[in-house]
Amino acid sequence: MDEDHAERILAELEDYQISHGSLLKIPRSLVDFESPVALARPVGVSIVPTIFPQPQFEQAQYIQRLFNELYINVAEDDIWLDTIIRPLARVDEFVAKLWSIWERVRDEGEIQHLRCGIFRSDYMLHCEPSTLGREATSDNDNDLRKGLIDSRLKQVEFNTYSCAGGTHATIVSNMHRYLARKGIHGATNLPMNNALRSITELLEEAHKAYLPTDRTRQTVILMTVQANNVNICDERPIEYALSECDPPILLYRVEFSDEVLRNCSLGPNHELLFQPPTRIQPFEVSVVYQRAGYDPQEYDEQGVEARFMLERSCAIKCPTILSHVAGLKKVQQELTRPGTLERFLNPESAAMLRPTFMPQYPIDQSEDGGKALQISSDREAAENYVLKPSLEGGGHNIFGQDIPDFLETIPSQEKNRYILMEKIHPPYSRGVLVSPLMISQGPVISELGILGACLWRRDEQRQEKVEIIKNSRGGWTFKTKPHEVEEMSVVKGYGCFDCPSLF
Amino acid sequence: MDEDHAERILAELEDYQISHGSLLKIPRSLVDFESPVALARPVGVSIVPTIFPQPQFEQAQYIQRLFNELYINVAEDDIWLDTIIRPLARVDEFVAKLWSIWERVRDEGEIQHLRCGIFRSDYMLHCEPSTLGREATSDNDNDLRKGLIDSRLKQVEFNTYSCAGGTHATIVSNMHRYLARKGIHGATNLPMNNALRSITELLEEAHKAYLPTDRTRQTVILMTVQANNVNICDERPIEYALSECDPPILLYRVEFSDEVLRNCSLGPNHELLFQPPTRIQPFEVSVVYQRAGYDPQEYDEQGVEARFMLERSCAIKCPTILSHVAGLKKVQQELTRPGTLERFLNPESAAMLRPTFMPQYPIDQSEDGGKALQISSDREAAENYVLKPSLEGGGHNIFGQDIPDFLETIPSQEKNRYILMEKIHPPYSRGVLVSPLMISQGPVISELGILGACLWRRDEQRQEKVEIIKNSRGGWTFKTKPHEVEEMSVVKGYGCFDCPSLF
């Protein structure tokens, strides 16, 4: 792409992004500019949509409802989860706190049996390293497409908690279809994205399914948020869209955990009451939508108490603490063990999902654990692996040859906190990206996330039976980064929101 | 309002504004922050809606269609306009250029007889200075409301060219109704605003009314814009909304005058052809929507040629050059002369509009001109007047006691460029504003603009008869500034978009 052309698209991009709130707030500390209100900058985006093979895109869409079902069933099987999480809790303080919150809720008896989940299954394309066409960096478009089309869809992780990106992805997909229609770029076959609408509709459905303990009280949705979040453009549009429902639904933001403790309380029937500073009467909370509470640092004593209050309340949780722990990497790894999927799904469904798993190992005393330890103590063997802690997101991973040295610093009993996963080797594509950090053109790697929107009820008699009320695909996210960057983080400026140009 | 409360509203405001594109671009020169794309900041807004009397708000709405009709008739009466504009053109280079463009078009013969106009009539409330309750700065809410309700609606100016603010006003009105619904502030009776939709619908109607000279050619709307405009959030949403029409309408931006000359040309039938750099075939332009070309500095030789090309083309102009000059302050002053309104309107309509006029005088050899010269040479008498040049906007006015000294610097024959207008004395209201420059709380002054959206056809036989196809109100703008500030400019950070809280 020549510079003139890139400049023209950039001018269109920045105006579209500024007009549509495809932005990040700028932390005041970063910028020397007097202003009583926050400044904003466009979030990183692709300048031209990156190509992606249509069959794999459709496959990911197709299996999403199976993954939703899998994780709903996992989240409601607290007996099985207990066998996985309890050992992990012994060596991982964060997991221990989450699990103890669950145990307190369980012992007290759950009041609310409706649950809500917004999930996101993340994928990359994968080639066997031997067949990986690094010639894709050449200018030969056919080589590049062949590398992509021959690759297989592999799951990076399954997110059950505080899944972000839906709004940004919706706007960027609209933007690229708009630019294509105007002939600003020539990208074709750009799929629609209903991520924002799906999230809003799910919350609306959950809100309407909630029966207030006191029918005279107005109900509202509560969104937990982190203080000083720069990514409000991903969260706020959900609030604004809910206010357009008929009748309008109010969503209030509370910072986790300070404001939760200050402004929320439990009523006599465990109804969650929210008292905004500007009102005399409290609201009753129908749904707690979690966009905070995923970082171990949020769980000091206050954080634990705040989360416990939310979990034991009769508000519908999006998601529950059981769904939260179901998203730990450790669970993902356990699900790859032969026979485990079949505990939760029929064999046909299990057979659809299994091919998307990369080989994964625990690091423990088991046979598989022994294999993992062997791999991870050998620099050459470790080269093809990633070591992942049981945390949200991908920011804490240890890659390849760094693994042996890193593991030596970890006391033996704590190694169980990690799982070892074979590296995904994505074929390169070519891309043009602009982020707050850079404009870059060259080999890129994309990550496809498929959102799921679910509402279900656990049988009140605590049978195994789960009644799934809504199990739907909820749009997608598509992020692209320069191939040499390890992290996909958009907020940090490496990853860019993108729209697949399907072929 | 206490600080805590203001802080809470501010957090809601900035998130709403950032998410909805209620923003200004930040000129790169102003900010020390490395970024390949532009940054943005929230446009100035009221923190709480400012009160405004409902009767005057409704009066302004009601008379808008009469003002539309008046200015349509003025714009099509080139004989009358010639008597006003030709003398002015002798002393005002800018007016001379505009008028000569019209003369060239007239002599060549107009091809397109459909015309489009987006107008905005600006008002302030006015009390006789003697009755002006400056006690409104007291905390007595009743005094303040009485001062407002007893005041009369007076027209500041009537804009016929490049009327801005419609999108910002729409978003800010939505924002304040949203905040009220959430109980963030307690403002009541906040009117809806359909400004953005009205502008879009008018352009859509004009676009559909255009008959391409070659039916195989795709037609598009052209928006002329100024280079490096920071106010894209007011313009771009019109483009995006048009793309949502069925069928979608494409609008392209061209910088006036460079890109107009570079990318536009006239076809054999005077069709305006627009050649975007990314396309092989040119588009045929249905409507030229002017958001540039109002500043005398834009009319170097190139600017004159660019404007001439647009005017002589068979694209529908929004507006034509005759509508443009109809918006000159000189015309506004001439319309206040006894009997003049009746040339253009029936007596009942004229009687509805006349009470909104402030006394205005030419500065020339006439009887009225003599009176004006007398006033403006006396510092004490001049105190109650404003001297206005025939330019767009309010940035070039000379106020009160500055008038005598200023007029002495002007050669006698050039004084005719100015008009003298009695000062409007708006009663104060109380307001809380936040702009890029300041947070302020105290006495404020508001300006109400009513938009008009019109489509009409001049009779092809050049009779006086004008066929008005569409004459509608088009929403409103409402801007508020601290009382001590002379300028209402939002882009400069003095004025703030606001939503009237009607009482």
Side-chain angles (χ1 to χ4, degrees):
Chain A
M1 171 176 297
D2 64 64
E3 249 179 61
D4 254 25
H5 192 192
E7 273 299 316
R8 265 199 307 279
I9 302 184
L10 270 179
E12 295 287 329
L13 282 176
E14 71 180 18
D15 282 7
Y16 193 100
Q17 293 192 265
I18 290 171
S19 300
H20 288 82
S22 173
L23 303 168
L24 296 173
K25 272 193 188 177
I26 301 179
R28 279 153 214 253
S29 56
L30 263 192
V31 59
D32 178 24
F33 189 79
E34 275 301 316
S35 171
V37 283
L39 308 186
R41 61 181 176 194
V43 72
V45 293
S46 61
I47 295 181
V48 175
T50 306
I51 60 169
F52 192 87
Q54 180 147 5
Q56 285 88 329
F57 183 79
E58 287 174 359
Q59 180 194 358
Q61 299 273 349
Y62 181 76
I63 60 179
Q64 184 60 33
R65 298 182 69 239
L66 305 179
F67 265 122
N68 291 344
E69 187 186 338
L70 169 62
Y71 274 86
I72 288 171
N73 289 334
V74 167
E76 297 307 334
D77 192 343
D78 59 297
I79 309 297
W80 182 78
L81 275 177
D82 191 66
T83 66
I84 308 300
I85 303 301
R86 203 122 54 108
L88 183 59
R90 277 188 219 113
V91 294
D92 189 310
E93 197 189 353
F94 176 46
V95 174
K97 284 174 177 170
L98 294 182
W99 197 246
S100 79
I101 291 170
W102 158 245
E103 287 175 327
R104 286 163 74 189
V105 171
R106 179 193 61 198
D107 295 347
E108 179 174 283
E110 277 189 289
I111 299 173
Q112 181 57 263
H113 297 278
L114 272 171
R115 294 90 151 71
C116 195
I118 294 166
F119 303 142
R120 200 188 69 228
S121 185
D122 290 338
Y123 304 95
M124 284 185 168
L125 297 177
H126 174 66
C127 299
E128 290 310 317
S130 58
T131 70
L132 195 64
R134 293 292 162 173
E135 73 281 4
T137 56
S138 83
D139 277 342
N140 189 324
D141 213 51
N142 284 339
D143 285 357
L144 197 143
R145 284 169 188 255
K146 188 168 183 310
L148 291 164
I149 206 94
D150 287 347
S151 64
R152 281 166 300 132
L153 193 72
K154 290 292 178 181
Q155 187 176 55
V156 180
E157 60 181 354
F158 191 90
N159 303 281
T160 58
Y161 194 82
S162 195
C163 297
T167 306
H168 283 304
T170 300
I171 298 174
V172 171
S173 139
N174 289 341
M175 175 177 80
H176 275 309
R177 271 179 294 111
Y178 178 69
L179 296 177
R181 208 154 60 226
K182 275 194 82 177
I184 306 292
H185 58 52
T188 54
N189 210 3
L190 308 176
M192 303 277 287
N193 190 1
N194 65 346
L196 174 58
R197 205 180 63 225
S198 300
I199 294 168
T200 308
E201 284 177 356
L202 176 69
L203 293 173
E204 180 184 8
E205 194 168 336
H207 176 81
K208 288 180 174 166
Y210 179 82
L211 299 173
T213 58
D214 176 347
R215 289 185 163 272
T216 66
R217 252 194 312 246
Q218 195 185 340
T219 51
V220 298
I221 298 179
L222 212 63
M223 183 195 271
T224 61
V225 298
Q226 288 188 333
N228 306 315
N229 185 0
V230 298
N231 199 17
I232 54 105
C233 286
D234 199 56
E235 296 170 355
R236 285 281 199 179
I238 298 166
E239 169 184 338
Y240 304 135
L242 284 166
S243 82
E244 304 292 323
C245 289
D246 184 23
I249 297 170
L250 294 183
L251 178 152
Y252 284 86
R253 295 161 69 85
V254 283
E255 288 178 10
F256 187 86
S257 56
D258 289 22
E259 289 187 347
V260 171
L261 290 177
R262 197 180 325 133
N263 299 332
C264 297
S265 60
L266 290 189
N269 302 307
H270 276 218
E271 64 272 29
L272 184 61
L273 300 174
F274 168 61
Q275 177 66 65
T278 45
R279 242 177 96 95
I280 296 164
Q281 290 292 331
F283 292 114
E284 180 165 339
V285 176
S286 55
V287 181
V288 175
Y289 176 34
Q290 301 275 16
R291 292 292 294 250
Y294 49 81
D295 189 329
Q297 306 209 323
E298 295 176 275
Y299 288 89
D300 56 7
E301 206 174 308
Q302 279 203 342
V304 170
E305 282 321 295
R307 184 72 191 268
F308 178 55
M309 175 166 61
L310 300 177
E311 292 295 327
R312 69 197 290 229
S313 81
C314 66
I316 299 171
K317 270 71 72 182
C318 181
T320 62
I321 198 141
L322 282 182
S323 294
H324 187 171
V325 299
L328 294 172
K329 301 281 190 307
K330 182 68 189 166
V331 171
Q332 186 189 4
Q333 170 257 306
E334 287 294 329
L335 289 172
T336 66
R337 278 194 204 272
T340 310
L341 272 185
E342 286 76 3
R343 180 184 175 102
F344 302 106
L345 295 175
N346 65 44
E348 293 74 25
S349 299
M352 301 285 292
L353 301 190
R354 191 169 294 107
T356 67
F357 293 162
M358 289 301 283
Q360 291 168 53
Y361 308 96
I363 303 191
D364 60 13
Q365 310 308 317
S366 69
E367 195 178 324
D368 276 353
K371 192 171 169 200
L373 276 168
Q374 202 177 353
I375 292 167
S376 51
S377 59
D378 173 347
R379 294 175 78 84
E380 205 166 322
E383 172 59 32
N384 199 32
Y385 287 84
V386 193
L387 191 70
K388 297 184 166 188
S390 272
L391 291 172
E392 286 296 315
H396 308 273
N397 298 340
I398 314 296
F399 294 92
Q401 302 199 356
D402 294 341
I403 297 172
D405 288 351
F406 176 80
L407 269 188
E408 277 189 17
T409 67
I410 305 288
S412 166
Q413 67 278 16
E414 283 185 26
K415 290 180 180 165
N416 192 20
R417 290 175 62 195
Y418 295 85
I419 64 146
L420 192 72
M421 182 173 171
E422 207 178 298
K423 263 190 193 169
I424 297 176
H425 293 282
Y428 294 162
S429 181
R430 264 202 311 277
V432 198
L433 309 174
V434 57
S435 82
L437 298 180
M438 42 123 208
I439 296 181
S440 77
Q441 183 164 5
V444 295
I445 291 167
S446 298
E447 184 178 278
L448 175 66
I450 307 291
L451 288 154
C454 303
L455 184 67
W456 68 96
R457 184 183 278 113
R458 180 163 180 162
D459 186 270
E460 311 214 357
Q461 308 312 311
R462 296 217 156 279
Q463 311 287 330
E464 291 219 18
K465 188 102 185 78
V466 171
E467 180 199 355
I468 297 183
I469 299 164
K470 182 190 183 95
N471 173 0
S472 66
R473 290 193 294 268
W476 45 266
T477 62
F478 188 67
K479 293 183 279 189
T480 299
K481 65 180 183 184
H483 77 102
E484 72 277 13
V485 173
E486 294 277 16
E487 258 192 273
M488 190 57 97
S489 168
V490 175
V491 171
K492 291 182 191 164
Y494 302 119
C496 291
F497 281 102
D498 193 358
C499 180
S501 173
L502 301 174
F503 70 96
Chain B
M1 172 177 296
D2 66 64
E3 249 180 61
D4 254 26
H5 192 193
E7 273 298 315
R8 264 198 307 277
I9 303 184
L10 271 179
E12 296 286 329
L13 283 176
E14 72 180 17
D15 281 8
Y16 193 98
Q17 293 191 265
I18 291 171
S19 300
H20 288 82
S22 172
L23 303 168
L24 295 172
K25 272 192 187 177
I26 301 178
R28 278 153 215 253
S29 56
L30 262 192
V31 58
D32 177 25
F33 188 78
E34 277 298 318
S35 171
V37 284
L39 308 187
R41 61 181 176 195
V43 72
V45 293
S46 61
I47 296 180
V48 175
T50 306
I51 60 170
F52 192 87
Q54 180 146 4
Q56 285 88 329
F57 184 78
E58 287 173 0
Q59 180 194 357
Q61 299 272 350
Y62 180 76
I63 60 179
Q64 184 60 33
R65 298 181 68 241
L66 304 179
F67 266 122
N68 292 343
E69 188 186 338
L70 169 63
Y71 275 86
I72 288 171
N73 289 335
V74 168
E76 297 307 335
D77 191 343
D78 59 298
I79 310 296
W80 182 80
L81 274 176
D82 192 66
T83 67
I84 309 300
I85 304 299
R86 203 122 56 108
L88 183 60
R90 279 189 219 110
V91 292
D92 190 310
E93 196 190 355
F94 176 44
V95 174
K97 285 174 176 171
L98 294 183
W99 197 246
S100 79
I101 292 170
W102 159 244
E103 288 175 326
R104 287 162 75 190
V105 171
R106 180 194 59 198
D107 296 348
E108 179 174 283
E110 276 189 289
I111 299 173
Q112 181 57 261
H113 297 278
L114 272 171
R115 294 89 151 71
C116 195
I118 295 166
F119 303 143
R120 201 190 65 226
S121 184
D122 289 339
Y123 305 94
M124 282 187 170
L125 297 178
H126 173 65
C127 298
E128 291 309 317
S130 57
T131 69
L132 195 64
R134 293 291 163 175
E135 72 280 6
T137 56
S138 83
D139 277 344
N140 189 324
D141 214 51
N142 285 339
D143 286 356
L144 198 144
R145 283 170 190 255
K146 187 167 183 313
L148 292 164
I149 206 95
D150 287 347
S151 63
R152 281 166 300 132
L153 193 72
K154 289 292 178 182
Q155 187 177 55
V156 180
E157 60 181 352
F158 191 89
N159 304 280
T160 58
Y161 195 82
S162 194
C163 298
T167 306
H168 282 306
T170 301
I171 298 174
V172 172
S173 139
N174 289 341
M175 175 177 80
H176 276 309
R177 271 179 292 110
Y178 178 69
L179 296 178
R181 208 154 60 227
K182 275 193 82 179
I184 306 292
H185 59 51
T188 53
N189 209 5
L190 306 176
M192 303 278 287
N193 190 1
N194 65 346
L196 174 58
R197 206 182 59 223
S198 300
I199 295 168
T200 308
E201 283 177 357
L202 176 70
L203 293 174
E204 179 183 9
E205 194 168 336
H207 175 81
K208 289 180 174 166
Y210 179 83
L211 299 173
T213 58
D214 175 347
R215 289 186 163 273
T216 66
R217 255 197 307 249
Q218 195 185 338
T219 52
V220 300
I221 298 179
L222 212 62
M223 182 193 273
T224 62
V225 298
Q226 289 188 331
N228 306 316
N229 185 0
V230 298
N231 199 16
I232 53 105
C233 287
D234 198 56
E235 296 170 356
R236 285 283 199 178
I238 299 166
E239 168 183 339
Y240 304 136
L242 284 166
S243 82
E244 303 292 323
C245 289
D246 184 23
I249 296 170
L250 293 183
L251 179 152
Y252 284 86
R253 296 161 69 84
V254 282
E255 288 178 11
F256 187 86
S257 54
D258 289 22
E259 287 186 349
V260 171
L261 291 176
R262 197 180 324 134
N263 299 332
C264 295
S265 60
L266 290 189
N269 303 306
H270 277 216
E271 65 271 30
L272 184 62
L273 300 174
F274 168 62
Q275 177 66 65
T278 44
R279 243 176 93 97
I280 296 164
Q281 290 292 331
F283 293 114
E284 181 165 338
V285 176
S286 56
V287 181
V288 175
Y289 175 34
Q290 300 275 17
R291 292 293 293 250
Y294 49 82
D295 190 328
Q297 308 210 320
E298 294 175 277
Y299 287 90
D300 56 6
E301 206 175 308
Q302 280 205 342
V304 169
E305 282 319 297
R307 184 72 191 268
F308 178 55
M309 174 166 62
L310 300 178
E311 291 296 326
R312 68 198 291 232
S313 81
C314 66
I316 298 171
K317 271 71 71 182
C318 181
T320 62
I321 197 140
L322 282 181
S323 296
H324 187 171
V325 298
L328 293 172
K329 301 282 190 306
K330 181 69 188 164
V331 172
Q332 186 189 3
Q333 171 256 305
E334 287 294 330
L335 288 173
T336 67
R337 278 195 205 273
T340 312
L341 272 185
E342 285 76 3
R343 180 184 175 100
F344 302 107
L345 294 175
N346 65 44
E348 293 73 27
S349 298
M352 301 285 292
L353 300 189
R354 191 170 293 108
T356 66
F357 292 164
M358 288 302 283
Q360 290 169 53
Y361 308 97
I363 303 190
D364 61 14
Q365 311 307 319
S366 69
E367 194 178 324
D368 277 353
K371 191 171 171 202
L373 276 168
Q374 202 177 352
I375 292 168
S376 52
S377 59
D378 174 344
R379 294 174 76 84
E380 206 166 321
E383 172 58 31
N384 199 32
Y385 288 84
V386 192
L387 190 71
K388 297 183 167 189
S390 272
L391 291 172
E392 287 296 315
H396 307 273
N397 298 340
I398 314 295
F399 293 93
Q401 304 200 354
D402 294 342
I403 296 173
D405 288 352
F406 176 81
L407 269 188
E408 276 187 19
T409 67
I410 305 288
S412 167
Q413 65 278 18
E414 282 186 27
K415 289 181 181 165
N416 192 20
R417 292 174 61 196
Y418 293 86
I419 64 148
L420 192 70
M421 181 173 171
E422 208 179 297
K423 261 190 193 168
I424 297 176
H425 292 283
Y428 294 161
S429 181
R430 265 203 309 278
V432 198
L433 309 173
V434 58
S435 82
L437 297 179
M438 42 117 210
I439 295 181
S440 78
Q441 183 163 3
V444 294
I445 291 167
S446 298
E447 183 179 277
L448 175 66
I450 308 292
L451 288 155
C454 302
L455 185 66
W456 69 97
R457 182 183 279 112
R458 180 164 180 162
D459 185 88
E460 311 213 357
Q461 307 313 310
R462 294 220 156 279
Q463 311 288 330
E464 292 218 19
K465 188 100 186 83
V466 171
E467 180 198 353
I468 296 182
I469 299 164
K470 181 190 184 94
N471 173 359
S472 66
R473 289 193 294 269
W476 45 266
T477 63
F478 188 68
K479 293 184 280 190
T480 300
K481 65 180 183 183
H483 76 104
E484 72 276 13
V485 173
E486 294 277 17
E487 258 193 274
M488 190 57 97
S489 167
V490 174
V491 170
K492 291 182 190 164
Y494 302 120
C496 291
F497 281 102
D498 193 358
C499 180
S501 173
L502 301 174
F503 71 96

